Amino acid sequence: MDREEYVEAVLLAVESIPPGTVATYGDIAAYVGQGGPRQVGAIMREYGGGVPWWRVIRASGIPAEEVGDTQLELLRGDGVRVTNGKVNLHQSRWTPND
DNA sequence: GCATTGACCGTCT
DNA sequence: CAGACGGCCAATG
């Protein structure tokens, strides 16, 4: 798979995340079946502009340092329960079968 | 082709 | 519950 296609696949995966739910970098990587969490992060940094990138967070429920504040606000806007700067993954985590 | 680096993850103190 | 640690995978110099 070319890098360009990988990027496409990741972006599509992110676009398929329903409002009110979130996914971790690792989840996206696993869903695409290629690369790892860090690759997904790198892609979001460059090409994430056109997709709901704010629905992608760390496995800890904490968003990336760079965009953390904005991201949390956007998530709240989507109806995601955010507690003390953290997302309740146990409740809002995305799974491909939804 | 090796070394560094990064929107990371799981496990073990 | 917070750090430390090692592992991970690809881009970049």
Side-chain angles (χ1 to χ4, degrees):
Chain A
M1 176 181 283
D2 294 298
R3 175 171 156 79
E4 194 177 337
E5 298 194 77
Y6 180 59
V7 171
E8 284 286 315
V10 169
L11 293 181
L12 282 177
V14 174
E15 284 183 281
S16 69
I17 304 174
T21 60
V22 297
T24 72
Y25 294 95
D27 284 344
I28 300 297
Y31 177 74
V32 172
Q34 199 75 208
R38 319 203 59 138
Q39 288 16 275
V40 175
I43 289 173
M44 293 308 291
R45 187 178 47 175
E46 295 186 64
Y47 310 91
V51 299
W53 55 267
W54 56 90
R55 304 200 189 133
V56 184
I57 61 181
R58 298 191 187 177
S60 352
I62 303 173
E65 298 290 332
E66 297 212 6
V67 292
D69 321 287
T70 310
Q71 184 158 14
L72 286 173
E73 304 248 343
L74 289 164
L75 285 174
R76 265 203 290 257
D78 276 346
V80 176
R81 179 183 280 281
V82 177
T83 308
N84 191 10
K86 287 178 278 192
V87 173
N88 187 342
L89 282 176
H90 202 67
Q91 173 182 312
S92 308
R93 191 173 200 170
W94 173 73
T95 51
N97 219 322
D98 294 340

